[in-house]
Amino acid sequence: VSTAISDRATWLKGQTAGCSTVLPFPPQPCRLVLLGAPGIGKGTQAELLCRRLRSCHLSTGDVFRAIRYDPPDMLSPAMQQALQQMTSGQLVDDQTVLDVIRERSRCFECQYGFVLDGFPRTVLQAEQLDQTLRQLRIKLDAVISFELPMEMLIERLSGRRTCPQCKATFHVTSRPPRKQDVCDSCGGKLIQREDDRPEAVRVRLEAYTQSTAPLENYYREDGRLLAVSGDGSPEAVHERVLDALRPQRAVATAQRTG
Ligand SMILES: [Zn+2]
Ligand SMILES: [Zn+2]
């Protein structure tokens, strides 16, 4: 099995760069949006899906990280705006995110499809995305919503331990240090950051749930939402996603050939 993965050149560098994936055979394109609370492992699932389906991983986090390494005068006005907001410690606003996505919309037409991760975040953004895709005559195959009970998410997120000296991070169950409460890299004493305490995590998760509910409803109403349990290993969750997608993809193939 080839592990070729798209280099996402369009996504990371802008409209003038073309994505390239060298593949021995053409699989069916798959166009997905991923939704899920912090700690659910959405980024990992996006990577596994892209490796399997050859799709471009369109992560807004990656775009905004990538621009820090570009010469500022090479950036588009939207990217300059995003950079400015980030360097002043703000969140990148809705309109700027949309502008950046639009600049990269050629990635929506990539041969093997795409997996959107981190966008849309609001119903407004979802509507704009639908509009852009309609113009390109592209249909989303599904919106995958990863789900896990709040208590399990709190347990995952509050297990993080940080080294105050070298900033290394660990996790009490999924990435424990060799010696309990001691940093592997520098021997410093590990702490639980204020943000990682269960009470703080709960507040963050509740805010997430509240702000995402309308978005989930938007996709549920027209039957595009696929709920997938985020419980278990990344591989187990990945297999669950592929199972959930199978009927969707069969329909898409039938429509294409029929
Ligand atoms: Zn692409
Ligand atoms: Zn350390």
Side-chain angles (χ1 to χ4, degrees):
V1 176
S2 159
T3 53
I5 105 170
S6 169
D7 66 359
R8 301 183 292 161
T10 303
W11 185 249
L12 296 174
K13 295 287 170 196
Q15 205 76 314
T16 51
C19 298
S20 69
T21 321
V22 184
L23 279 177
F25 61 91
Q28 181 188 337
C30 196
R31 285 114 185 187
L32 303 173
V33 166
L34 304 190
L35 301 178
I40 209 146
K42 187 161 53 78
T44 308
Q45 291 306 318
E47 279 168 28
L48 291 172
L49 277 165
C50 290
R51 206 157 284 162
R52 183 80 148 241
L53 305 168
R54 326 294 194 229
S55 324
C56 282
H57 178 189
L58 311 188
S59 145
T60 45
D62 286 352
V63 168
F64 293 136
R65 265 187 296 278
I67 61 175
R68 291 172 191 272
Y69 304 101
D70 284 338
D73 53 332
M74 298 284 286
L75 296 175
S76 68
M79 288 303 252
Q80 285 181 16
Q81 177 77 10
L83 185 63
Q84 201 186 344
Q85 291 177 351
M86 287 191 300
T87 43
S88 62
Q90 303 166 46
L91 283 173
V92 182
D93 70 69
D94 252 28
Q95 190 53 50
T96 307
V97 176
L98 274 168
D99 291 343
V100 168
I101 301 273
R102 260 197 217 107
E103 279 177 3
R104 279 148 168 76
S105 59
R106 212 173 77 181
C107 240
F108 293 145
E109 299 177 275
C110 276
Q111 198 174 358
Y112 305 111
F114 58 83
V115 175
L116 264 173
D117 166 12
F119 180 88
R121 282 184 190 278
T122 61
V123 173
L124 179 73
Q125 290 182 349
E127 287 168 350
Q128 306 262 16
L129 174 65
D130 278 341
Q131 198 188 335
T132 305
L133 294 179
R134 247 196 318 275
Q135 283 162 1
L136 297 169
R137 298 174 172 281
I138 284 172
K139 212 171 142 275
L140 272 185
D141 289 292
V143 176
I144 298 175
S145 164
F146 293 102
E147 296 181 350
L148 208 56
M150 175 81 84
E151 296 313 312
M152 286 176 81
L153 282 172
I154 292 175
E155 207 180 289
R156 281 193 189 180
L157 287 167
S158 60
R160 186 156 71 163
R161 297 293 180 271
T162 309
C163 173
Q165 291 182 45
C166 75
K167 311 289 173 218
T169 59
F170 301 86
H171 192 281
V172 288
T173 51
S174 63
R175 197 168 166 258
R178 282 190 296 269
K179 202 170 151 217
Q180 198 186 340
D181 296 331
V182 177
C183 176
D184 284 355
S185 337
C186 76
K189 176 148 174 45
L190 299 180
I191 57 155
Q192 183 177 41
R193 285 180 21 195
E194 212 55 57
D195 288 358
D196 296 332
R197 298 198 187 278
E199 316 78 67
V201 168
R202 182 183 296 277
V203 170
R204 204 156 77 229
L205 287 171
E206 273 163 4
Y208 172 85
T209 310
Q210 226 166 22
S211 71
T212 327
L215 185 59
E216 286 184 4
N217 286 335
Y218 175 79
Y219 287 123
R220 192 178 290 115
E221 272 165 17
D222 58 17
R224 285 184 286 178
L225 196 77
L226 280 182
V228 172
S229 162
D231 195 13
S233 70
E235 292 74 23
V237 177
H238 178 57
E239 289 305 319
R240 226 173 272 147
V241 172
L242 294 176
D243 282 346
L245 281 175
R246 217 154 271 143
Q248 237 79 6
R249 287 170 55 81
V251 169
T253 312
Q255 282 170 349
R256 207 161 292 138
T257 53

